[in-house]
Amino acid sequence: MKLVEHNPEWKNTYEREKQRIIDKVGSKTILRIEHFGSSSIPTIKSKPYIDLMIEIPKETLFNEDLIANFTALGYSHFVVPARENIETYSTFGKGYNIDEKKEQIFHIHMCPKDNAMWKQIEFRNFLNSNLKRAKEYESLKMELASKFKNDRGSYVLGKIHFINETLDIIDKKDSIQNGSL
């Protein structure tokens, strides 16, 4: 697992993939697509993966035709089981090759807007507006990438506390702004 300097081309790569998805699946089913994850935060190092969050209507969550459309685009589908406060949802991956051939890797997280996964967009927005917190996240990611070079699961789990802590900061800030505290 290697973190690299931000590549401004990632935004264009995201935009092209977003358009491919909308062209194949249609804007009636795809309600919103967002670029998230570290590659959407220009001030920090990232794995060179493009993470997309896709909003769909709840009734289409595990629709076989929808999954087939993504398969036709080269994606593999997985069901992410419910955990903590996150309901089950669909995820898709593309670009992984056993033969080490280099391809752009894409991860899609697809769920209705009421799924807690959408908090990741708030996390992205906060880090894009808070350089200090973004750099703290980058430092954590670099430490975890070094410690868990070949263990993606432990790398991901190692970030959960920081992400949840940041989401708490966002919630408190929102409460203060809305006069709830």
Side-chain angles (χ1 to χ4, degrees):
M1 180 171 338
K2 185 177 177 187
L3 301 178
V4 299
E5 293 295 331
H6 181 80
N7 181 347
E9 183 57 29
W10 289 337
K11 182 177 181 180
N12 297 327
T13 302
Y14 155 73
E15 291 291 345
R16 285 190 299 272
E17 192 67 9
K18 174 183 175 180
Q19 194 57 54
R20 286 183 72 234
I21 291 167
I22 291 170
D23 289 348
K24 178 71 176 172
V25 180
S27 57
K28 285 191 167 95
T29 302
I30 303 295
L31 304 176
R32 175 173 47 152
I33 301 179
E34 295 272 352
H35 182 193
F36 79 111
S38 295
S39 67
S40 69
I41 304 167
T43 58
I44 66 172
K45 292 181 179 177
S46 172
K47 293 185 305 291
Y49 304 167
I50 306 298
D51 294 300
L52 298 96
M53 183 74 73
I54 298 180
E55 179 187 347
I56 55 167
K58 194 173 210 106
E59 63 273 8
T60 62
L61 184 55
F62 300 111
N63 178 283
E64 289 182 22
D65 292 334
L66 178 59
I67 293 167
N69 280 328
F70 280 91
T71 301
L73 288 168
Y75 286 92
S76 297
H77 176 251
F78 306 93
V79 173
V80 178
R83 63 191 189 280
E84 294 180 24
N85 64 334
I86 301 172
E87 292 179 38
T88 189
Y89 66 93
S90 282
T91 187
F92 298 84
K94 178 171 80 166
Y96 290 96
N97 293 298
I98 295 172
D99 63 5
E100 307 264 340
K101 181 181 156 196
K102 298 287 183 202
E103 280 189 44
Q104 177 62 59
I105 293 175
F106 292 93
H107 295 145
I108 292 175
H109 300 264
M110 188 165 61
C111 53
K113 68 181 174 185
D114 62 354
N115 190 300
M117 276 302 295
W118 279 95
K119 292 266 188 195
Q120 294 300 313
I121 303 305
E122 294 174 32
F123 179 77
R124 174 205 66 194
N125 292 347
F126 186 80
L127 293 189
N128 275 327
S129 66
N130 187 316
L131 182 60
K132 181 179 181 285
R133 192 69 178 170
K135 287 300 185 182
E136 290 170 357
Y137 187 53
E138 178 184 57
S139 293
L140 173 63
K141 287 167 55 75
M142 291 174 68
E143 176 186 322
L144 293 170
S146 174
K147 187 175 179 180
F148 301 114
K149 284 182 175 74
N150 298 312
D151 184 353
R152 186 176 186 275
S154 292
Y155 171 81
V156 169
L157 287 173
K159 298 186 300 182
I160 288 175
H161 177 73
F162 183 93
I163 293 168
N164 287 338
E165 185 180 79
T166 303
L167 291 173
D168 286 344
I169 291 168
I170 294 166
D171 286 343
K172 285 178 185 163
K173 183 180 165 196
D174 288 347
S175 293
I176 290 168
Q177 287 177 342
N178 295 330
S180 303
L181 281 180

